[in-house]
Amino acid sequence: METIQSKASQGRVSDAPSGHWVYRVLPRWLWPYAQLARWDRPIGWQLLLWPCWWSAAMAASAYARPDDPLLSLLPQLSTLVLFLLGAIAMRGAGCTYNDLVDEDIDAKVERTRSRPLPSGQVSRRQAWVFLLIQAFIGFAVLLQFNSFAIGLGICSLLVVAIYPFMKRITNWPQLVLGFAFSWGALMGWADEFADLDGPATLLYIGSILWVIGYDTIYAHQDKEDDAIVGVRSTARLFGENTKPWLAGLYAGALMCFAVAFAAAQVPVVALAGLIAAGAHMARQIMTLDIDDPDQCLRLFKSNNQVGWLIFAGLIGGAVWVAVKPLL
């Protein structure tokens, strides 16, 4: 289904892949809601999920001892599933809210004018109702955690509420996005220990730097339209100096992650994941062409692999502690 959505016809949004299951499986009346929640573009909830899973894995293997059983060093499957459901629900709610706030801007930008609100496929009232449904699901997930984590999760709503307005008033909206998208780095630790400690804070700071980096790459897709409509971004701020900035941001992220792992005394094998992630980040920087929107999107999406590498390192470290005495 190749038709790009407009006021004249229903179809897919311009940056969604053709042939996606949303358009093959769902009835047409559900398409606008799936598009509001970005079900046809899962990279957003995937990137939101990774700090949650990293934090849960780091907390589970923190202060590991050689005689600890393997299952005690791994994050609980139920916890990972809760974070997965919460990431999908809250990313959808956040995107719906962002589209409501940015409807006027989206109508002026080539990549976003096919979204449901500017293309007239859904009303603002319908979008608000859908937002509340998703937020309710996210809140139901949050209630499964301890009281400290519940309060911490509620605090994130302030950052989510102000983010869409930041592109109008600052060149650093990606920083505020980092505050929101990295919140899970605090949540996994809070669920395990009902507290916040140095390792979680360092993981959070590192994740913020990572988010600024990958979202700067993403923002280069729209920099020409953004300049016309007055939208600010780190892509426009960094300009031709984007690669040195990315090198600093990604290096800072990796250093924060490494110090967080050391402070939590997670098994040293976890560093292998950071080394692999660092190689991936370096490749992003070396190959980046800021004037190629398609490549910017591909590199942005490839950060899902960074998430897997770091998570795999943490899981591998936990497994190593359990199997090492057997060798």
Side-chain angles (χ1 to χ4, degrees):
M1 199 278 299
E2 300 293 340
T3 302
I4 301 299
Q5 190 160 265
S6 67
K7 289 184 179 294
S9 62
Q10 190 178 35
R12 67 177 176 91
V13 293
S14 64
D15 55 351
S18 60
H20 194 274
W21 69 265
V22 162
Y23 305 109
R24 290 185 286 103
V25 175
L26 296 183
R28 281 181 171 264
W29 68 269
L30 274 178
W31 288 4
Y33 300 101
Q35 292 164 352
L36 284 171
R38 310 293 197 268
W39 294 346
D40 53 348
R41 285 154 289 169
I43 185 60
W45 65 255
Q46 292 166 352
L47 294 176
L48 180 62
L49 176 65
W50 283 123
C52 304
W53 277 17
W54 296 342
S55 186
M58 183 178 72
S61 61
Y63 318 114
R65 295 172 298 180
D67 57 343
D68 287 336
L70 176 58
L71 289 181
S72 72
L73 299 173
L74 297 174
Q76 294 184 16
L77 180 60
S78 59
T79 299
L80 298 181
V81 171
L82 285 173
F83 278 132
L84 171 63
L85 296 175
I88 294 173
M90 294 312 295
R91 190 260 181 155
C95 288
T96 304
Y97 174 65
N98 192 80
D99 284 4
L100 283 161
V101 173
D102 283 350
E103 183 180 1
D104 58 331
I105 293 176
D106 287 345
K108 301 173 184 176
V109 176
E110 178 66 28
R111 185 179 60 84
T112 58
R113 63 169 54 106
S114 60
R115 289 178 177 174
L117 283 165
S119 64
Q121 301 299 322
V122 68
S123 70
R124 292 183 65 83
R125 182 177 181 277
Q126 290 170 322
W128 274 112
V129 171
F130 184 52
L131 186 158
L132 292 174
I133 292 172
Q134 294 175 93
F136 177 80
I137 294 172
F139 186 63
V141 170
L142 182 62
L143 291 179
Q144 308 311 306
F145 296 105
N146 62 54
S147 58
F148 181 83
I150 291 172
L152 184 64
I154 291 173
C155 289
S156 70
L157 295 179
L158 175 62
V159 182
V160 174
I162 66 173
Y163 165 68
F165 302 97
M166 293 299 102
K167 63 175 69 73
R168 296 166 167 83
I169 61 177
T170 177
N171 291 323
W172 290 88
Q174 280 70 27
L175 174 61
V176 183
L177 181 68
F179 293 155
F181 257 57
S182 301
W183 206 267
L186 305 175
M187 293 294 295
W189 189 274
D191 177 59
E192 181 77 18
F193 296 107
D195 199 359
L196 286 181
D197 299 299
T201 303
L202 287 164
L203 189 70
Y204 180 60
I205 295 171
S207 182
I208 291 170
L209 297 175
W210 178 55
V211 173
I212 296 172
Y214 70 60
D215 202 61
T216 295
I217 295 174
Y218 183 80
H220 270 291
Q221 296 178 93
D222 301 325
K223 59 180 180 286
E224 294 180 0
D225 284 339
D226 287 349
I228 294 172
V229 301
V231 168
R232 303 181 183 184
S233 71
T234 49
R236 293 184 60 202
L237 177 65
F238 299 164
E240 296 299 323
N241 294 316
T242 291
K243 288 190 175 184
W245 273 98
L246 286 178
L249 289 164
Y250 282 166
L254 290 168
M255 285 189 289
C256 286
F257 294 155
V259 177
F261 291 2
Q265 300 177 33
V266 300
V268 69
V269 173
L271 293 177
L274 293 185
I275 293 172
H280 191 289
M281 291 172 174
R283 181 181 176 279
Q284 290 181 44
I285 297 169
M286 289 188 292
T287 60
L288 174 64
D289 179 356
I290 61 173
D291 296 316
D292 183 344
D294 291 337
Q295 190 220 39
C296 287
L297 181 60
R298 287 196 302 272
L299 290 178
F300 162 74
K301 289 181 176 180
S302 75
N303 279 278
N304 188 44
Q305 298 170 25
V306 172
W308 275 116
L309 290 169
I310 296 174
F311 182 69
L314 287 163
I315 297 301
V319 172
W320 173 251
V321 169
V323 302
K324 185 179 179 181
L326 306 177
L327 299 178

